């Protein structure tokens, strides 16, 4: 395994551990956070807060670098325009998140934990992502 | 609004969040990439030469996290309330939508907000809003 792949594996491991420690890997806890009108569990606001505090320092440093520590090119998004796919996609994502309590990362962790419901969710999510590829490919072919 | 203090877990939420932030920090500084799960997974369905192995390594790390955890300690509870048809609908919706939105809770919510990206701010506000509304409708309008 080369260094970037080894690093990617370790980052995945740390990310997964963070989701487990924080409680985000548990859809029940996620839904308790999203349920403002019920008995509200504010914990997950602190997950995002903790992640952003650490992340902001890293991204401030990363923004000044031309290459990563492994001499890889820095692939940080540069787009700043707000478009329809961004907004409609995000609105749709929130509905799916609220229906099951799963977003992509926690679903992968719950899959690793052997939860049958997570298997169903992840397969459906992959089908949804493949659907996007098909729609976008047919659109580019139609325009070509 | 009533806060469910019995379920509130501020310290583990903060610690887990900081681990997630650490993962995002390492990934951008070491690999020069954004730790956005929907993007990492979605790219697997659009294979390009030399762009596949790091994605596989990252996802493998996330799935391995609960396996390693379970080898040394008891896994935290993962409770999935959603029915199988609901998980299918939610998974499809999350899959398609996160690809159009170019990110999910990790790519927009953690990495994007950490670098003050206007697109990610709009994305995060959007998916949080529909997440809250969806849970309200499911639990208090339909289920109430």
């Amino acid at each position: 395994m080369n260094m970037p792949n080894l690093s990617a594996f370790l980052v995945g491991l740390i990310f997964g551990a963070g989701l487990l420690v924080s409680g985000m890997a548990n859809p029940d806890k996620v839904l308790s956070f999203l349920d403002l009108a019920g008995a509200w569990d504010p914990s997950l606001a602190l997950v995002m807060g903790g992640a952003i505090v650490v992340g902001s320092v890293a991204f401030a440093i990363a923004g000044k670098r031309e290459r990563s520590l492994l001499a890889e090119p820095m692939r940080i998004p540069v787009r700043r325009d707000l478009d329809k796919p961004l907004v409609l996609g995000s609105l749709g994502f929130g509905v799916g998140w609220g229906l099951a309590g799963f977003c992509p990362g926690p679903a992968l962790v719950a899959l690793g934990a052997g939860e049958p419901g997570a298997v169903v969710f992840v397969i459906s999510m992959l089908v949804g992502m493949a659907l996007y590829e098909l729609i976008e490919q047919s659109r580019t072919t139609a325009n070509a | 609004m009533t806060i469910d203090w019995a379920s509130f877990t501020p310290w583990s939420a903060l610690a887990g969040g900081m681990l997630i932030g650490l993962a995002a920090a390492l990934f951008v500084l070491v690999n020069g990439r954004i730790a956005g799960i929907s993007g990492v997974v979605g790219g697997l369905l659009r294979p390009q030469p030399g762009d596949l192995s790091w994605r596989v390594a990252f996802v493998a790390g996330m799935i391995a996290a609960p396996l390693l955890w379970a080898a040394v300690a008891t896994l935290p509870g993962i409770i999935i309330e959603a029915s199988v048809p609901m998980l299918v609908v939610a998974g499809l919706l999350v899959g398609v939508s996160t690809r159009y939105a170019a990110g999910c809770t990790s790519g927009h919510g953690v990495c994007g907000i950490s670098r003050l990206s206007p697109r990610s701010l709009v994305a995060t506000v959007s998916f949080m809003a529909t997440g809250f509304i969806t849970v309200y409708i499911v639990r208090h309008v339909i289920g109430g």
Side-chain angles (χ1 to χ4, degrees):
Chain A
M1 198 187 271
N2 65 19
M3 283 305 281
N5 288 352
L6 179 64
S7 164
F9 178 79
L10 292 175
V11 166
L13 211 55
I14 297 169
F15 205 113
L19 290 171
L20 282 166
V21 170
S22 65
M24 269 215 75
N26 180 9
D28 193 46
K29 192 158 178 83
V30 173
L31 293 177
S32 303
F33 168 71
L34 291 175
D35 189 6
L36 289 174
W40 189 50
D41 175 2
S43 308
L44 296 195
L46 292 170
V47 180
M48 208 173 229
I52 290 168
V53 167
V54 179
S56 339
V57 179
F59 279 99
I61 301 169
K64 295 186 187 124
R65 295 187 61 99
E66 303 216 332
R67 290 258 155 189
S68 80
L69 294 172
L70 288 175
E72 298 274 307
M74 299 302 282
R75 295 181 177 88
I76 298 175
V78 288
R79 282 182 66 178
R80 298 179 72 84
D81 61 306
L82 305 175
D83 59 353
K84 229 192 268 178
L86 174 82
V87 176
L88 294 181
S90 299
L91 292 172
F93 163 48
V95 174
W97 191 33
L99 286 178
F102 269 139
C103 51
L108 290 178
V109 173
L111 176 85
E115 290 294 329
V119 179
V120 174
F121 182 91
V122 169
I123 292 173
S124 310
M125 180 177 83
L126 289 172
V127 171
M129 288 175 166
L131 215 56
Y132 161 84
E133 296 294 340
L134 285 175
I135 297 168
E136 288 307 294
Q137 267 168 29
S138 66
R139 185 179 291 182
T140 25
T141 330
N143 289 343
Chain B
M1 180 192 288
T2 45
I3 294 183
D4 182 5
W5 292 109
S7 304
F8 185 45
T9 49
W11 299 114
S12 57
L14 205 56
M18 290 176 89
L19 271 178
I20 294 168
L22 174 69
L26 287 173
F27 209 42
V28 74
L29 292 173
V30 177
N31 290 54
R33 291 184 186 277
I34 300 288
I37 312 303
S38 59
V40 173
V41 175
L44 289 170
L45 302 170
R46 189 196 293 176
Q48 275 159 6
D51 190 53
L52 206 59
S53 56
W54 70 270
R55 297 178 189 273
V56 174
F58 190 107
V59 172
M62 291 201 74
I63 294 175
L67 297 171
L68 286 180
W69 183 302
V72 290
T74 313
L75 270 176
I78 297 176
I79 300 161
I80 304 169
E81 275 177 26
S83 64
V84 169
M86 189 70 107
L87 287 165
V88 171
V89 172
L92 286 170
L93 202 49
V94 168
V96 177
S97 309
T98 52
R99 295 304 283 143
Y100 275 106
C104 57
T105 358
S106 47
H108 282 311
V110 174
C111 297
I113 293 196
S114 291
R115 54 189 188 84
L116 298 173
S117 152
R119 279 172 58 84
S120 294
L121 282 168
V122 168
T124 305
V125 169
S126 306
F127 69 67
M128 295 286 293
T130 47
F132 285 129
I133 294 168
T134 303
V135 172
Y136 181 79
I137 293 173
V138 170
R139 291 201 170 171
H140 304 285
V141 178
I142 301 170

